[in-house]
Amino acid sequence: MKNELLTGIFTCILPASLVWQVKTEEKKVYLTFDDGPIPGLTDEILDILSVYNAKATFFCVGENVKRYREIYDKVLAQGHATGNHTHHHLKGWSTNYAEYLDDIKEAGNYIGSGLFRPPYGLMTYRQAKALSKDYRVVMWSVLTKDYDPAVSSEECLQTAKKGIRPGAIIVFHDNIKAREKVLYALPRLLEYLEREGFSSERLVFNLEVNLSQNPLY
């Protein structure tokens, strides 16, 4: 309840253009993975997605893309989408306005995408407003908390399952801290989606995608 309250307050002070879910009646959800690419885990995630013929969106850190370009290219080659997650994984609230935008611009040299997600989900109103001019800023409707040591792998899975609905945007993390939970929850979630008649799609940055600008909270 505390986290939902804080998120609700946070969204009230950001521009209404932020995306929290995809507006659709179709049984489609949008899996997203933050912080990669990294050797090993990103490949394992791609292998699991491939087994279920699922597509996803990877919000990548620029310095990781620069370091592991071949993994980033593999993500794209397998039909997934990518987004900008800053170059150095900066927290907007504690980063100077110009420095934050410059860091995103640097990441853009390696990540060719019109999608952006702020690390930690935190940025100032001024930062968000400026970014909305050049990016579709994508937040989420389901945060699995796979990064939280206090959350078990099964709890992570159940959080994701409870949030399944048409157009849900679900956040996992493509980093070492979340590895065990992601590799546990992802195949089980995809099996659940398959049983329930849902598909996992990538986010597409064009006018044909009807994106909701209202949070689910």
Side-chain angles (χ1 to χ4, degrees), residues 4 38 50 68 73 107 109 162 207:
E4 291 185 3
I38 58 171
S50 179
Y68 307 117
D73 290 341
N109 293 328
K162 288 176 183 177
L207 297 178

Side-chain angles (χ1 to χ4, degrees), residues 174-190:
D174 184 12
N175 62 35
I176 295 301
K177 186 164 55 175
R179 182 180 185 276
E180 179 180 345
K181 294 170 191 175
V182 170
L183 295 182
Y184 174 88
L186 182 58
R188 290 167 175 80
L189 178 62
L190 290 169

Side-chain angles (χ1 to χ4, degrees), residues 144-216:
T144 62
K145 297 184 180 179
D146 53 357
Y147 53 83
D148 188 344
V151 175
S152 71
S153 297
E154 182 62 25
E155 287 172 328
C156 179
L157 171 61
Q158 293 305 319
T159 296
K161 289 171 68 174
K162 288 176 183 177
I164 296 301
R165 66 198 73 182
I169 299 174
I170 303 165
V171 179
F172 286 102
H173 286 80
D174 184 12
N175 62 35
I176 295 301
K177 186 164 55 175
R179 182 180 185 276
E180 179 180 345
K181 294 170 191 175
V182 170
L183 295 182
Y184 174 88
L186 182 58
R188 290 167 175 80
L189 178 62
L190 290 169
E191 288 172 6
Y192 175 78
L193 291 173
E194 198 171 73
R195 289 197 304 270
E196 297 297 317
F198 278 84
S199 64
S200 174
E201 308 290 340
R202 67 178 190 161
L203 291 165
V204 180
F205 182 62
N206 62 33
L207 297 178
E208 295 175 4
V209 175
N210 191 1
L211 295 166
S212 172
Q213 297 173 348
N214 297 308
L216 295 178

